[in-house]
């Protein structure tokens, strides 16, 4: 299930990368059309290469994020709810006591289950 989610997320990121590369190519064409010197055309080409590299970098960052989400989903769930509350620090609770609400030599309360 998580692998399918990762694949879909990666496909969406890949599509976003292709859109960004397409925009960079279109912007290069527009800049080259308005450029009057060879240096301006070369500058437009270098900008396109930088934008393509940035799009590829973002794709790889997204893939890392998707892998981290997948790994986080595989963390053991048995730690929560079985006395391993990782978000709670019991040393901060000073109001509670570990002593029972009755004297330790007496019998504990019956909780309403009296036999007469």
């Amino acid at each position: 299930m998580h692998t399918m989610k990762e694949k879909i997320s990666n496909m969406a990121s890949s599509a976003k990368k292709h859109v960004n590369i397409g925009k960079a190519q279109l912007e290069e064409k527009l800049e080259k059309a308005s450029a009057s010197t060879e240096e301006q055309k070369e500058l437009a080409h270098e900008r396109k290469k930088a934008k393509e590299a940035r799009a590829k970098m973002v794709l790889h960052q997204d893939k890392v994020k998707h892998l981290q989400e997948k790994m986080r989903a595989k963390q053991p769930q048995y730690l929560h709810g079985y006395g391993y509350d990782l978000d709670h620090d019991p040393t901060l609770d000073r109001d509670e006591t570990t002593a029972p609400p009755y004297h330790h030599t007496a019998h504990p309360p019956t909780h309403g289950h009296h036999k007469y």
Side-chain angles (χ1 to χ4, degrees):
M1 177 76 170
H2 295 290
T3 305
M4 184 58 101
K5 179 183 174 191
E6 179 190 2
K7 285 181 182 180
I8 291 171
S9 297
N10 286 344
M11 287 173 32
S13 296
S14 180
K16 188 168 75 170
K17 177 192 91 163
H18 288 294
V19 167
N20 288 338
I21 288 176
K23 280 199 277 186
Q25 290 173 346
L26 180 65
E27 289 172 2
E28 178 197 18
K29 286 181 183 180
L30 291 173
E31 284 184 45
K32 279 188 174 182
S34 65
S36 58
T37 65
E38 190 62 35
E39 290 83 18
Q40 289 176 336
K41 290 180 183 181
E42 188 175 331
L43 185 62
H45 180 70
E46 291 298 322
R47 280 192 189 120
K48 179 194 84 153
K49 285 175 32 179
K51 288 178 184 178
E52 286 176 349
R54 190 175 305 122
K56 289 178 183 178
M57 180 190 66
V58 168
L59 170 70
H60 290 293
Q61 287 175 341
D62 287 347
K63 282 186 176 184
V64 167
K65 185 178 76 171
H66 302 152
L67 276 173
Q68 287 174 337
E69 289 173 0
K70 178 182 170 184
M71 297 292 285
R72 190 175 307 122
K74 288 187 175 184
Q75 293 296 318
Q77 299 299 319
Y78 61 84
L79 293 177
H80 296 287
Y82 291 97
Y84 297 103
D85 192 2
L86 302 176
D87 297 328
H88 177 69
D89 187 6
T91 60
L92 298 177
D93 295 336
R94 299 291 180 203
D95 300 353
E96 298 178 13
T97 179
T98 57
Y102 53 88
H103 192 270
H104 69 288
T105 59
H107 292 288
T110 59
H111 302 290
H113 303 288
H114 296 289
K115 290 186 178 181
Y116 291 106

